[in-house]
Amino acid sequence: MLEVPSNKPYLIRALHQWCTDFGFTPFIAVFVDSSVEVPMEFVKNDEIVLNLSVEACHQLQMENDWISFQARFGGVPRKIMVPVSHVLAIYARENGQGMSFPFDPKSVSKDIKPEVDTAKTARPKFTIVK
């Protein structure tokens, strides 16, 4: 019998859309290990909470395996990459409604980070022409 793919990325996208449609701020709680790319200075007890609102993140991509975007932390732009397997919950900040997901850190396989198109994410370089 074929293994049924996880419905987790679909539920995350649906709850993100619900939050956005009703003016709520979508937050995700993430388990942090070496496969997660987040500002480590904001990680507490191997977890971080991230704001996925349109105002807070740029170039949000919610794929079946990865969630990636750019956001500012302390005024510094950062690239964020989170494996969907590491998402512990998604909820609306204003009322706490959302969904949590079962998670066992021992069962997580080491996810391979997707290839990033550096042409899109590289900072533009300016030169002075006289």
Side-chain angles (χ1 to χ4, degrees):
M1 186 172 157
L2 292 174
E3 186 177 326
V4 177
S6 173
N7 61 6
K8 186 175 180 178
Y10 299 91
L11 294 169
I12 292 170
R13 286 191 293 266
L15 285 166
H16 180 271
Q17 184 67 50
W18 174 80
C19 285
T20 304
D21 286 352
F22 290 97
F24 298 132
T25 308
F27 276 23
I28 58 171
V30 177
F31 174 77
V32 177
D33 65 9
S34 61
S35 64
V36 178
E37 189 176 324
V38 295
M40 296 307 284
E41 61 270 25
F42 296 98
V43 174
K44 293 185 180 164
N45 299 324
D46 296 326
E47 291 183 20
I48 190 168
V49 175
L50 300 168
N51 180 343
L52 291 187
S53 69
V54 176
E55 297 82 17
C57 58
H58 181 62
Q59 296 179 338
L60 176 63
Q61 293 184 323
M62 299 176 76
E63 306 293 334
N64 287 345
D65 296 323
W66 288 88
I67 297 171
S68 64
F69 59 95
Q70 293 179 11
R72 290 185 173 272
F73 290 82
V76 179
R78 305 288 276 274
K79 177 72 176 170
I80 307 300
M81 296 190 70
V82 174
V84 168
S85 61
H86 286 57
V87 176
L88 302 172
I90 180 167
Y91 59 94
R93 179 189 68 188
E94 291 79 4
N95 61 15
Q97 289 187 3
M99 181 177 284
S100 63
F101 303 99
F103 184 77
D104 180 10
K106 295 177 208 134
S107 69
V108 174
S109 63
K110 294 297 178 194
D111 294 312
I112 299 171
K113 290 188 180 179
E115 293 295 319
V116 176
D117 184 2
T118 55
K120 287 183 181 177
T121 59
R123 287 187 80 163
K125 293 183 172 59
F126 295 102
T127 56
I128 298 174
V129 179
K130 294 184 180 183

